[in-house]
Structure formats: structure tokens, C-alpha cells
Amino acid sequence: MMLRIVKYVVGDILRGRIIFGYAGVLLAASFGLFNFGGDAAKGLVGLLSLVLLVVPLVSLVFSTIHFYNSIEFIELLAAQPLRRSTLLLGQMMGVALALVTALVAGIGLPILIYAPTVTGLVLLAVSLVLTVVFTGLAFLAAVLARDKARGVGAALLIWFYFALLHDGVTLYLLFLLEDFPLEGISLGLISLNPVDLARVLVLLQMDVSALMGYTGSMLKNLLGTGTGIAFASAVLAAWIALPVALTLWVFRRKDL
Amino acid sequence: MLEARSLTKTFGRLCALDALTVRLSGGQSVALIGPNGAGKTTFIKCVLRLVLPDSGELTLDGASLLDNPALRSRIGYMPQIGRFPDHLRVGQLFELMREIRRGTHSGTDEDLIEAFRIDRIAHQTARTLSGGTRQKVSACLALLFDPDLLVLDEPTAGLDPVSAEILTEKVRAVRAKGKLVLLTSHILSDLDEIATDVLYLIEGRMQFYRPIAEMKAESGETRLGRIVAGMMRQAAADALRPEEPAA
């Protein structure tokens, strides 16, 4: 039953114009970065910066607005013999799948053409994971907020925090705590931000961690190992599972 | 058939339903009326479990509607505003609803689909439909699975006179088959055609619940609108009158 809901949501979104615009802009930017940025490695660095800003933003804003635009139909479906969790999980998976499709077309294709390396594939993989993470957070904002304006506002705040503010907080804390051993603290702070985790996972593949200074070499030691990558993946999985679980918990009790 | 016991729901400080207790049976067509904010929509949404009451019980033939999603297979719902996914074709919409309901109903009722000639718009996407056409689609979906309980929120709003008449006829036929119809409408003359009983709510409490025929016989009026307007004025006057001191 859930698959039936996923199917209609994906079909509906993929027939719209916005998702094509998203894929098109990403495609144009990727080709631009790879063609005019010098070699493939530089292209990937450029693409990484772009993806870390744009993917969370689009996933958050698109998902929240989609939820509010579908609210009347979600209400009609909730009045059918369907469980609320099935209904909303289907909605979330549908939106995430549509965004992932656009992402694969927009950056997956150029990466396969210009940089079919491990780094390139890791970049694609973390972008897909970030899409799912921020779709989950968007739905959480949407079910918690009372109206569309608050929901979209909350989504923008989430983006602002994770894309921009968290790094500042991290630096400030590390500066305050410089007398203490930094490994555990910085690892903890990075784990609190899925965007940072994604960035570190890609940079570690690029062998440019020497450029990242002391923390960079430290991170290489902490996260560059098999255990480190498993840890980072587990944290990202938690970044998907926890918001989704919380969203379903709230939605099951929500008055529509 | 449908029974509410001490059903209570508050939104912040506003009490939308105040210990509402009422029992409705099959073969009735009950019109929920009352001023804005009286709790009509809240009651309907509780029946569909779109709104969760704070306390009280709500049962359909003795089984609780509040913790039994499968029971909703016996309910057909036509919302006040029907809005469907923009790019879904009408045909696909019906297909989706049939799949969601697969195995939960014995037969389908396609009378209305034929009467409204839905096949002619099956290829159109939902966002190209006019408001009235969306209402027709909503009505068809509500009646499609031959529900025992039909819930209609402002069913004739936005329908042209011919379509409104078709829908009215259909609802009357459904009721005559022994099903329960629960509806709201601001247009009292429409209720005259569809409803058999009136459930009048004010501030979440039941003011009265009576058969329309009985009210007409008692007041000598033939139009429901007049009777209800008279009662509303009476209720307002009662509310304004200072309490009489005890003798």
C-alpha cells in the first residue's frame, strides 16, 4: 500500500516543472564546473561546495511546500482505511525519491562522464544521503508547524543553521576548549551536523586533508579508517532515522 | 449505528465539542447545523479520525472509530474543499483510490460516475479541473465504495443546479437503502431536500436533535430555513435574557 502512495507522489512530482528546473540547473552548473574549473579534481571540489549548500536548501524548501500543497489530499487519504504512518512514510519516500532522481540526473550524469572516480561516487552518494536527511527534517518542520509560513520559515532556519551557522559555533567552541584534547570534541561537533559529515567524507577521499591543517590530519586519523567511515555512515543513518521516527510520532497524533 | 458519548475536543481555549452525546441510526440523513464555530466540522473530523478528541467515545455499530483504521472502509467522505495532486489525471486518481480500498469493500457504486460523465474528463489532470468539477469528483469518490456511513461537508457548494440535483437524488437513494448520511450545509433549502433530521449545535453542545417532519408539523411552517431561523433567534434571545430570580 505504501508503494502505491510512493508511486503516485513520484509520478506527480516528476510531471511538474520545478523538479526539471532543479535537475537542469544542477546539470548546467556541473558541466560548467567540470569544463571551466580546470581538471576533474578541481571540478569535484567546486561541485562539493555547491552541493553542500544547494541540496539541503532545495530538499528542505521543496519538501515543506509540497507537504502543504498536498495537505487537502493527505487529509482525504487519512480518512481512508489507511494507517497514518503508512500514509506519511509513503509521502516522504515519494518526495525523497523524486528529489534523488533529479539529483542523479543533475550531478550523477556529469560525475560519471568527467570524474568516474571513488571521490566522485562518494560525492554523489553523500548528496543522495543529504537529500533524504533534509527531506526528513523538512517533514518534521511541516508536521510541527501550524501553517505554511511557519513551516517554510522553520525549514529555512534549519538550512541556515546546518549550512552556515554550525561551522561558526564549532570553531568558536574549539577555540574556547583549545586546552582540552580536541579529537573527541570535534568529532562530536561534526556528528551534530550532517552537512559537515558529508563534507569530511568527501574531502578525506580527495587526499587534500593536509590542506585542512591540524584538524584535517586529525580527522584523517579518526575518520579515514574503515571504522571511521562506518561510524560516519551510522551517524548519517541516525540523521535519517530519528527525524523520520519523530515525524511519524507527531503525525499520528496530529489534528488535520 | 453511529454513537458519540461525552465527545470532547478543545483547541487551546476554544471548546469545539463539549461532552457531545448523540446516537444516529441507519436510514437517517442528519444535517449538522449551527453558527460558525459551533463544532460541526470538528464533529465530522472526529468521525473520520482526522481530529483526535480529548476524551469520549465514538463508535460505529459498537466498534470504536478512534482506534480502528480499518473501520473507515465503511465510510465515504466528501470534504468541503477537494484538492488533488496537480499532475494526476482523473482516471489515475480513481485507480489510486480503488487500489487503496482494494479488498475492503464488497461492491462499488458507479451511478454517480456515470451521471456526472466522469469518463469524459478521465484524461484531464487534476489542476485543470474547475471548482465544481472537483466537487463532482469528490462526490463520486465518496460514494464509490458503497459506504454504510456517508459524510458530506458542504456537498452542494460550487455545484451547478443540475449537478446539485443529481447529487441530492443520489444521497436520498443511499439513505433509502438504510445507510446513514451525515452532512453540513449553509444552504438550508438544500437540507430540506436531503435531510431527514436536524442536529443543532451551539458552542460544541447539542441544542436539539429532531426529525424535520416533526418540526414542520409543530411549527406549521413548510420551509426548514424559516423554522431554523426562528429557533436560532429564540436561542439568541434566551441567551440575552437575564436569569430570573428564584421565587
Side-chain angles (χ1 to χ4, degrees):
Chain A
M1 190 50 61
M2 186 143 61
L3 286 180
R4 194 61 196 81
I5 292 172
V6 174
K7 204 172 123 194
Y8 102 74
V9 174
V10 172
D12 180 43
I13 297 177
L14 289 187
R15 258 173 254 143
R17 249 179 261 154
I18 296 171
I19 204 80
F20 273 94
Y22 179 44
V25 167
L26 285 177
L27 201 61
S30 311
F31 278 117
L33 284 166
F34 280 122
N35 281 319
F36 304 112
D39 57 10
K42 278 187 194 152
L44 277 179
V45 175
L47 196 54
L48 174 66
S49 322
L50 178 81
V51 154
L52 291 180
L53 281 179
V54 170
V55 165
L57 180 63
V58 172
S59 305
L60 280 165
V61 174
F62 181 84
S63 306
T64 335
I65 292 179
H66 185 268
F67 176 85
Y68 285 108
N69 287 350
S70 315
I71 195 77
E72 291 94 349
F73 194 59
I74 288 177
E75 199 179 299
L76 183 63
L77 290 181
Q80 308 301 317
L82 264 182
R83 289 187 177 282
R84 287 250 183 129
S85 42
T86 311
L87 167 59
L88 199 70
L89 206 54
Q91 295 284 331
M92 283 196 264
M93 284 165 62
V95 173
L97 201 60
L99 286 168
V100 158
T101 309
L103 200 60
V104 168
I107 69 164
L109 214 60
I111 285 177
L112 282 183
I113 296 172
Y114 292 98
T117 57
V118 175
T119 316
L121 293 179
V122 169
L123 174 57
L124 180 60
V126 298
S127 318
L128 300 181
V129 171
L130 282 184
T131 299
V132 182
V133 168
F134 283 97
T135 303
L137 287 170
F139 271 85
L140 182 59
V143 297
L144 283 175
R146 259 175 297 163
D147 55 62
K148 188 172 178 171
R150 281 168 204 262
V152 177
L156 285 173
L157 277 181
I158 292 173
W159 176 77
F160 187 70
Y161 179 77
F162 286 124
L164 306 169
L165 215 57
H166 186 88
D167 287 353
V169 174
T170 303
L171 273 180
Y172 181 68
L173 282 178
L174 290 180
F175 179 70
L176 276 185
L177 302 169
E178 60 184 341
D179 294 337
F180 298 93
L182 285 177
E183 284 85 351
I185 300 166
S186 58
L187 193 62
L189 287 170
I190 285 175
S191 302
L192 286 177
N193 185 352
V195 178
D196 274 352
L197 269 176
R199 187 196 327 267
V200 170
L201 278 176
V202 177
L203 285 180
L204 285 176
Q205 297 298 326
M206 286 183 169
D207 225 20
V208 291
S209 48
L211 295 177
M212 301 195 299
Y214 169 66
T215 17
S217 59
M218 181 193 78
L219 286 173
K220 179 107 187 156
N221 291 334
L222 286 174
L223 287 176
T225 59
T227 330
I229 290 170
F231 169 78
S233 309
V235 174
L236 280 176
W239 268 107
I240 295 174
L242 291 179
V244 169
L246 195 55
T247 306
L248 293 180
W249 190 84
V250 173
F251 186 68
R252 273 205 299 269
R253 286 155 187 79
K254 190 177 167 71
D255 291 330
L256 290 171
Chain B
M1 183 166 158
L2 179 70
E3 193 175 358
R5 276 190 300 272
S6 309
L7 201 64
T8 302
K9 177 69 188 179
T10 52
F11 295 104
R13 249 177 288 165
L14 178 83
C15 190
L17 288 176
D18 189 0
L20 180 70
T21 297
V22 69
R23 185 179 201 153
L24 317 174
S25 6
Q28 277 185 310
S29 178
V30 181
L32 284 168
I33 58 176
N36 296 329
K40 305 181 295 274
T41 300
T42 306
F43 180 58
I44 280 182
K45 288 196 164 187
C46 282
V47 171
L48 298 159
R49 203 187 170 281
L50 293 175
V51 163
L52 281 82
D54 301 331
S55 61
E57 262 302 311
L58 196 54
T59 56
L60 186 63
D61 288 335
S64 173
L65 278 167
L66 300 175
D67 37 45
N68 206 343
L71 264 188
R72 290 199 292 272
S73 61
R74 297 180 55 194
I75 305 179
Y77 170 47
M78 176 178 173
Q80 199 167 351
I81 304 161
R83 222 187 123 184
F84 310 109
D86 280 350
H87 304 283
L88 217 58
R89 292 180 198 288
V90 173
Q92 293 172 316
L93 176 66
F94 277 87
E95 195 186 315
L96 171 67
M97 298 305 264
R98 282 179 204 270
E99 284 186 36
I100 285 175
R101 292 271 195 146
R102 177 169 295 163
T104 65
H105 57 94
S106 39
T108 54
D109 178 346
E110 316 217 348
D111 292 355
L112 216 48
I113 296 181
E114 282 158 30
F116 284 151
R117 303 301 315 265
I118 296 295
D119 55 319
R120 285 194 190 169
I121 55 162
H123 62 280
Q124 272 182 261
T125 56
R127 69 165 170 182
T128 62
L129 303 178
S130 71
T133 310
R134 285 205 304 267
Q135 284 294 91
K136 289 186 206 169
V137 170
S138 286
C140 291
L141 288 174
L143 283 151
L144 181 57
F145 304 102
D146 196 18
D148 297 329
L149 167 58
L150 183 60
V151 179
L152 309 167
D153 200 356
E154 298 283 338
T156 51
L159 285 184
D160 62 76
V162 176
S163 305
E165 186 54 37
I166 292 175
L167 180 58
T168 305
E169 275 307 314
K170 181 63 194 169
V171 174
R172 290 222 294 246
V174 165
R175 184 196 62 75
K177 279 200 297 183
K179 318 280 181 151
L180 171 60
V181 180
L182 185 61
L183 72 151
T184 70
S185 179
H186 285 106
I187 308 162
L188 292 173
S189 57
D190 282 357
L191 293 178
D192 231 349
E193 303 273 303
I194 305 181
T196 58
D197 297 74
V198 164
L199 174 55
Y200 191 78
L201 294 174
I202 290 182
E203 288 172 1
R205 279 192 295 268
M206 187 168 82
Q207 288 306 108
F208 61 82
Y209 169 40
R210 300 178 66 187
I212 291 176
E214 190 185 301
M215 286 159 64
K216 282 183 177 168
E218 203 169 275
S219 63
E221 280 282 357
T222 50
R223 283 170 47 206
L224 180 64
R226 285 242 178 105
I227 302 173
V228 171
M231 288 182 146
M232 284 172 94
R233 270 197 298 274
Q234 186 61 45
D238 287 346
L240 285 176
R241 189 184 306 145
E243 298 223 352
E244 286 175 27

